[in-house]
Amino acid sequence: MPVKRITDRSADNFKFERLSAEQKKKIHNASLRILEVTGVELHDEEAVTLLKKAGAFVSNNNRVRIPSGLVEKALNTVPKRVTMYNRYGKPALQLTDYGTCNYGTGSDCLYIIDHRTKERRLAILKDVEEGMKLLDYLPRMDFVMSMFLPSDVENRSYCQQQMEVMLNNTTKPIIYVTPDFEGCVDCVEMAEAVVGGADALRQKPLAACYINVTSALNHNQEALQKLLYLAGKGLPYTYVPVTTGGMNAPITTAGVIALNNAGMLAGLILSQLKREGSSFIAPGMGVGALDMKCGTYGYTDPDFRGLSIAMGHFYNLPTFGIGGMSDSHLFDQESSASAAMSLFYETLHGANLIHDIGFLDQGMTSSFAQVLLCNEIIRYLEYYMAPIEISDETLALDLINELAHEGKFLSHEHTMTNFRKIWSPDLFLRNNYASWEKAGSKDFTERATRRLEKILTEHKPDPLPRDIAKAVNVIVQRAKDK
């Protein structure tokens, strides 16, 4: 029996942060100083003009130094809650400061570990389709991202084709990624076609954009165009500067977080200058450090986990987190451990959107089996994070007085009424060795493969109505023909 998702992690329940109130203030003040003294380079004329009119200081055409008062003003107008809806217009994701955790995959992996052959290969559009069917079925996957970058489609239209597959194969909220501004506009138009127009999408957003930014103090034109376009339409998005200690940031944890936070605040200010009250989802990821031994980015390092999320909480903003992934190149013991640890700390920190579930190989590869494993871990975490009911019914003192000496609880009605409230595994094992051996001695990978085939064969997502599917496809064909 599923438990109710947590919507209140007050001090009386769970609320954990690695940063103290004083530390968050220091990071905030450091970010303000970075914006005021160092400034941020914005490679978009409209963005520079908006800030200049608001009182920022511009030099060299695009270096903008931002007074701290603009930060405070933006924080006063930005919504502290974002609600996303499913295809049927029903609330599906409640994104609040320290609120409900929602889980989903990531986007644009080049490779898949094929659960049928166990081989790593280039992903194709069919993998995106099967991934959406899997995510549509799994109850703990709350939103979807494309998972793969299909190698069998044209580069100029791949994001539109991804979006079409997602809209056709799941009713859940979508977070999309596009390589350029034109793709973002097309994806919005496709979502509008599904829900009934621009006003309908603004009132009940089905989709949000994940915007990658070159770095905290160097904002590329495509990212700024997307931000201003989506803010102008009143649509949700997350704005994620990429900040890597030892490369484009100091190697120290505090320096990375302060710099990344400054980049986030610059995006927040622009969103509110474009349209006061427009939604903004703060990045709880995008930070890390270069591993000096091998020259790669630590995808699952513990150093930075939860810190950007804590700053999002400091500003009372919804947050975009990361979990269920691994640096491992295989679906193995390492990937399982990384998935469990990352999902636990992101959930404990209260990130609202936890993405990249199923990702391996530093985000280059995805695995359906890893997604299935994470779904089981999330079930476990839901029970662990749920408030404990302490009442006359659950204390059962009269029953203890009646039966405890003889230990005859097994057949009592109280047990029959309440045993389903206790966590019980789905794919994890609970039977004894002899029963497991009799059933074929199957390990988790074998059990996951069997479950995946059953889901992909039997689950039929609700299709789009034919006329709407045709309208979506027209936009895709337009992008192909450019």
Side-chain angles (χ1 to χ4, degrees):
M1 171 182 284
V3 297
K4 184 178 181 181
R5 292 286 173 89
I6 308 222
T7 55
D8 178 21
R9 294 199 177 105
S10 62
D12 293 333
N13 191 24
F14 281 96
K15 190 168 186 179
F16 173 81
E17 289 183 344
R18 291 177 64 194
L19 295 175
S20 67
E22 183 62 28
Q23 288 176 317
K24 285 184 280 189
K25 288 180 183 177
K26 286 184 176 180
I27 290 173
H28 171 67
N29 289 331
S31 298
L32 295 182
R33 179 171 174 79
I34 291 168
L35 291 175
E36 288 184 329
V37 176
T38 308
V40 55
E41 292 188 359
L42 304 175
H43 298 277
D44 180 77
E45 185 177 350
E46 183 184 2
V48 173
T49 300
L50 282 170
L51 280 164
K52 187 175 182 178
K53 287 182 177 179
F57 304 96
V58 179
S59 60
N60 300 327
N61 295 323
N62 68 348
R63 176 73 65 87
V64 183
R65 292 173 175 84
I66 304 174
S68 59
L70 293 183
V71 176
E72 302 307 319
K73 184 177 179 181
L75 289 170
N76 285 332
T77 60
V78 66
K80 302 305 188 287
R81 174 189 297 269
V82 174
T83 302
M84 292 187 65
Y85 295 77
N86 63 22
R87 189 200 290 169
Y88 303 115
K90 303 296 184 183
L93 306 178
Q94 295 289 347
L95 314 182
T96 61
D97 165 29
Y98 208 105
T100 306
C101 294
N102 304 279
Y103 305 87
T105 52
S107 66
D108 296 345
C109 283
L110 294 175
Y111 300 94
I112 181 174
I113 296 180
D114 193 317
H115 66 279
R116 299 178 179 101
T117 65
K118 308 300 185 289
E119 294 180 353
R120 180 178 183 259
R121 59 168 172 78
L122 286 170
I124 60 175
L125 196 61
K126 180 68 175 178
D127 297 319
V128 180
E129 180 182 337
E130 289 197 331
M132 293 310 105
K133 287 183 179 180
L134 175 63
L135 299 175
D136 189 69
Y137 173 84
L138 293 176
R140 271 75 192 176
M141 296 295 106
D142 302 296
F143 63 91
V144 308
M145 297 180 72
S146 67
M147 298 185 72
F148 304 107
L149 184 63
S151 61
D152 59 340
V153 302
E154 296 175 337
N155 286 338
R156 65 174 178 267
S157 64
Y158 78 80
C159 64
Q160 290 90 342
Q161 293 187 64
Q162 287 174 331
M163 189 68 167
E164 181 180 29
V165 169
M166 290 188 285
L167 289 167
N168 272 290
N169 288 282
T170 183
T171 62
K172 294 181 179 181
I174 294 168
I175 297 178
Y176 59 94
V177 181
T178 71
D180 52 31
F181 175 61
E182 291 75 15
C184 176
V185 173
D186 283 347
C187 286
V188 169
E189 188 178 347
M190 294 161 77
E192 290 173 346
V194 169
V195 302
D199 287 343
L201 187 64
R202 182 169 56 253
Q203 292 171 19
K204 295 184 176 182
L206 167 68
C209 188
Y210 172 178
I211 304 174
N212 269 319
V213 187
T214 303
S215 69
L217 299 188
N218 194 332
H219 295 223
N220 54 304
Q221 185 180 38
E222 292 84 359
L224 291 166
Q225 287 175 329
K226 293 175 191 176
L227 180 154
L228 295 172
Y229 169 74
L230 293 165
K233 290 182 74 69
L235 298 175
Y237 57 90
T238 184
Y239 193 71
V240 185
V242 178
T243 311
T244 305
M247 289 189 67
N248 61 5
I251 194 65
T252 51
T253 301
V256 170
I257 296 301
L259 183 56
N260 188 75
N261 192 62
M264 181 276 289
L265 290 173
L268 173 66
I269 294 166
L270 280 169
S271 74
Q272 300 308 296
L273 289 176
K274 180 66 177 182
R275 181 184 180 130
E276 283 193 2
S278 63
S279 299
F280 187 91
I281 302 169
M285 40 77 67
V287 294
L290 189 70
D291 189 322
M292 297 300 176
K293 292 184 294 184
C294 58
T296 61
Y297 176 89
Y299 196 30
T300 55
D301 288 357
D303 306 73
F304 301 93
R305 302 285 79 86
L307 302 181
S308 294
I309 296 170
M311 294 309 299
H313 296 331
F314 179 72
Y315 301 121
N316 298 317
L317 292 173
T319 55
F320 187 70
I322 185 170
M325 70 294 182
S326 177
D327 289 318
S328 175
H329 304 297
L330 304 171
F331 175 58
D332 59 5
Q333 293 91 334
E334 180 186 345
S335 74
S336 302
S338 297
M341 289 188 293
S342 59
L343 284 170
F344 179 72
Y345 55 60
E346 292 293 292
T347 302
L348 195 63
H349 281 93
N352 299 129
L353 294 169
I354 300 174
H355 87 301
D356 274 8
I357 284 171
F359 276 24
L360 307 172
D361 188 25
Q362 298 180 325
M364 297 293 289
T365 304
S366 190
S367 160
F368 290 164
Q370 181 86 352
V371 172
L372 215 54
L373 169 76
C374 291
N375 191 71
E376 187 84 331
I377 294 169
I378 293 165
R379 286 187 66 247
Y380 183 102
L381 289 172
E382 284 181 342
Y383 280 77
Y384 175 74
M385 298 295 291
I388 304 302
E389 180 188 350
I390 307 296
S391 65
D392 290 344
E393 167 69 12
T394 61
L395 288 170
L397 296 181
D398 290 341
L399 194 62
I400 290 171
N401 185 57
E402 177 185 349
L403 300 177
H405 288 114
E406 299 178 355
K408 295 182 178 179
F409 291 91
L410 186 59
S411 60
H412 197 277
E413 181 183 350
H414 184 272
T415 302
M416 296 299 104
T417 301
N418 290 284
F419 81 91
R420 289 186 177 86
K421 298 176 183 178
I422 304 298
W423 180 80
S424 180
D426 183 15
L427 275 176
F428 292 167
L429 290 179
R430 184 64 71 78
N431 56 347
N432 60 35
Y433 191 91
S435 299
W436 170 73
E437 203 171 30
K438 185 176 181 181
S441 307
K442 291 181 173 59
D443 63 17
F444 184 88
T445 300
E446 293 174 301
R447 299 195 303 275
T449 298
R450 177 176 290 188
R451 179 65 61 83
L452 287 169
E453 278 304 293
K454 181 177 176 62
I455 294 170
L456 295 176
T457 300
E458 297 180 1
H459 180 62
K460 307 298 180 187
D462 290 350
L464 285 173
R466 188 172 299 179
D467 58 331
I468 293 177
K470 184 177 180 180
V472 168
N473 186 254
V474 167
I475 300 168
V476 175
Q477 293 303 320
R478 185 183 67 198
K480 287 182 178 181
D481 293 338
K482 284 182 179 178

